[in-house]
Amino acid sequence: MRIDVFTLFPQWFEWFETQRHVRNTIGQGTELRYVSYRDHTPLSGGQVDDTPFGGGAGMVLRVDVVDAALSGHYGHDSSELRSRRRVIALAPGGRLLDEKLVAELAGESELTLLCGRYEGFDERIVEHLATEAVSVGRYVLSGGELAAMVVCDAVLRRLPGALGHEDSALEESFSAALEGAPEYPHYTRPAEYRGWRVPDVLLSGHHERVREWRREQSRMRAGGAPGTGTDSPLR
Ligand code: ADE
């Protein structure tokens, strides 16, 4: 898989790449590339944004800058790019990232992520250059970089070899194995701490009962109805 991230702050991702599961997938052939809008801007002084038409606070990322960055990087007309790969504009009002979307993205061989800044994108970027807008939650970050890391993290950990232990992702929250429900609670040693005891069933060595208990806990967290409870709080 190859993910290209267009950003004003490529250096932010240096930390991200030190994370083990990210390093693991890179070791297995995944490529992450970062493209700086500023390296491609046709405007003087490294300008990439401008004041919004109609007035208002903040700055808006310019369509000509993103167009130049995409065509400069890929070497062909950027409006055609989206017929060949998913080009995702990260924006607070976009399609909410959930496990279904993560699975879809993990199935792609190439992805392009566009990070916005300040007040966000000129809407023509979303309409004509991107295939879709994706949000990591209904709150506003100061830019799309952290959102891009969230998308990359969730996608990369699904790729073979990312977690080191192939079973780790099989039975986790929202997986098919748990019928889309949140994961059951985990406990480890000590079995009792300050009077807080681990549920007896987990110490029983009775695998079938443990499985049943976990499934039940997971369903309870889903609000009782398997596959429908992703809105219920996990505490
Ligand atoms: N950019 C700013 N806020 C964002 C969010 N919540 N999701 C995705 N991109 C964003």
Side-chain angles (χ1 to χ4, degrees):
M1 176 173 217
R2 182 167 150 189
I3 307 180
D4 298 328
V5 183
F6 286 69
T7 169
L8 282 172
F9 302 104
Q11 70 279 10
W12 283 29
F13 293 84
E14 285 168 16
W15 166 82
F16 181 66
E17 289 214 3
T18 64
Q19 302 308 297
R20 181 180 304 231
H21 63 291
V22 178
R23 283 209 318 270
N24 285 349
T25 54
I26 289 173
Q28 305 266 334
T30 291
E31 278 181 68
L32 290 176
R33 298 217 184 144
Y34 308 100
V35 182
S36 166
Y37 294 122
R38 274 193 221 288
D39 290 348
H40 292 275
T41 181
L43 308 173
S44 59
Q47 185 187 347
V48 293
D49 54 6
D50 226 318
T51 51
F53 282 129
M59 301 293 272
V60 177
L61 191 60
R62 286 175 56 134
V63 63
D64 49 352
V65 169
V66 176
D67 191 17
L70 288 169
S71 44
H73 182 70
Y74 294 110
H76 45 70
D77 190 281
S78 60
S79 57
E80 285 167 19
L81 185 67
R82 63 185 196 159
S83 61
R84 274 181 271 123
R85 55 156 74 204
R86 287 175 90 153
V87 180
I88 296 172
L90 292 154
R95 174 176 168 189
L96 273 180
L97 187 70
D98 60 10
E99 206 54 30
K100 180 168 176 284
L101 178 54
V102 170
E104 262 176 56
L105 299 180
E108 300 285 334
S109 56
E110 294 180 326
L111 286 178
T112 298
L113 304 182
L114 304 177
C115 302
R117 266 273 124 190
Y118 318 117
E119 285 305 294
F121 299 99
D122 182 307
E123 193 57 24
R124 290 168 292 184
I125 296 168
V126 181
E127 273 175 28
H128 301 289
L129 301 178
T131 51
E132 63 221 273
V134 167
S135 169
V136 297
R138 295 288 185 243
Y139 45 81
V140 183
L141 298 165
S142 51
E145 283 75 15
L146 289 173
M149 285 184 222
V150 169
V151 171
C152 289
D153 188 290
V155 166
L156 295 182
R157 68 192 297 287
R158 282 188 157 251
L159 301 184
L163 302 181
H165 188 289
E166 287 313 303
D167 292 343
S168 330
L170 280 182
E171 212 177 82
E172 65 181 8
S173 287
F174 320 120
S175 61
L178 293 180
E179 300 162 20
E183 202 176 12
Y184 43 80
H186 294 284
Y187 298 88
T188 185
R189 293 180 192 83
E192 181 164 350
Y193 180 70
R194 293 179 57 187
W196 306 326
R197 279 189 54 74
V198 168
D200 286 338
V201 61
L202 296 179
L203 309 173
S204 68
H206 197 302
H207 298 303
E208 194 45 44
R209 278 179 46 211
V210 169
R211 238 192 315 277
E212 272 168 29
W213 180 87
R214 285 179 165 167
R215 190 58 53 90
E216 190 185 298
Q217 291 289 316
S218 167
R219 284 181 176 148
M220 272 163 52
R221 285 184 160 183
T228 61
T230 50
D231 291 333
S232 70
L234 274 175
R235 269 179 275 136

